[in-house]
Amino acid sequence: QPDTTAGDCWAFQGSEGQVVIRLPARIWPSALTVQHIFKSGAAACSISSFPRSIAVSGLDEEGKDTPLGTFTYDIKRQEIQVFSLKSERYKAYKYIKIKILSNWGNSKYTCLYRVQVHGKRA
C-alpha cells in the first residue's frame, strides 16, 4: 500500500523478520526501493524501529533462494532509498524474499513501510 502514515506499517516482533512477495509476473529484478516515514513524522514510531540491514533474494518455483544483495537502510539519508540488485541475465523470479536482518536498536519491534521491486518482465 502507498500509505506511509506513522504507525501504518507492517510491524513484526523483534529486530529480524522476513516477507515473501509474489510479483504479478516473472521479472529480472534490477533494484529495490525501500521507503520509510519522514523522521519528523516518526513520533508515533521510534526511529530505532526502522530496518537497518536488509537481504534480498529471488525465489524460483521450487523455493530455491538466490541472493540478490544485502543493503543498509541509512536513517541519515532520505526516506526513499534505492538499492541495485545483482541478478543473472537469464534468471527471472516470480517471488522476492525480503529479510530484515537488523533494525536501528529497537528490541521489541521493527516497522517496514513500503517496498518496491523494479525489473524487466521476463
Side-chain angles (χ1 to χ4, degrees), residues 15 27 32 48 50 57 60 69 72 76 80 83 89-90 118:
S15 60
I27 67 162
L32 180 82
S48 67
F50 288 19
S57 301
D60 63 19
T72 299
K76 294 176 184 161
I80 299 174
F83 306 99
R89 173 88 174 122
Y90 298 103
H118 309 278

Side-chain angles (χ1 to χ4, degrees):
Q1 300 294 328
D3 188 9
T4 54
T5 305
D8 194 9
C9 65
W10 175 57
F12 55 89
Q13 286 186 318
S15 60
E16 297 178 26
Q18 67 182 25
V19 62
V20 174
I21 298 170
R22 184 175 64 112
L23 303 169
R26 289 183 56 225
I27 67 162
W28 292 296
S30 59
L32 180 82
T33 297
V34 178
Q35 180 178 355
H36 217 281
I37 59 174
F38 288 100
K39 288 182 211 169
S40 61
C45 179
S46 169
I47 291 173
S48 67
S49 71
F50 288 19
R52 183 178 188 159
S53 184
I54 303 167
V56 180
S57 301
L59 299 176
D60 63 19
E61 284 73 24
E62 291 82 40
K64 184 175 181 235
D65 191 296
T66 302
L68 301 176
T70 302
F71 315 99
T72 299
Y73 183 89
D74 187 348
I75 58 174
K76 294 176 184 161
R77 290 183 41 215
Q78 296 203 20
E79 71 278 357
I80 299 174
Q81 297 177 27
V82 180
F83 306 99
S84 293
L85 299 175
K86 59 181 176 178
S87 66
E88 298 171 26
R89 173 88 174 122
Y90 298 103
K91 189 141 186 181
Y93 302 98
K94 178 79 175 172
Y95 301 91
I96 298 290
K97 179 167 70 173
I98 299 168
K99 187 170 185 177
I100 308 300
L101 304 172
S102 65
N103 64 22
W104 286 92
N106 192 318
S107 61
K108 294 182 181 178
Y109 64 94
T110 301
C111 289
L112 187 61
Y113 279 85
R114 189 173 190 196
V115 174
Q116 296 172 297
V117 179
H118 309 278
K120 204 172 205 181
R121 190 180 289 248

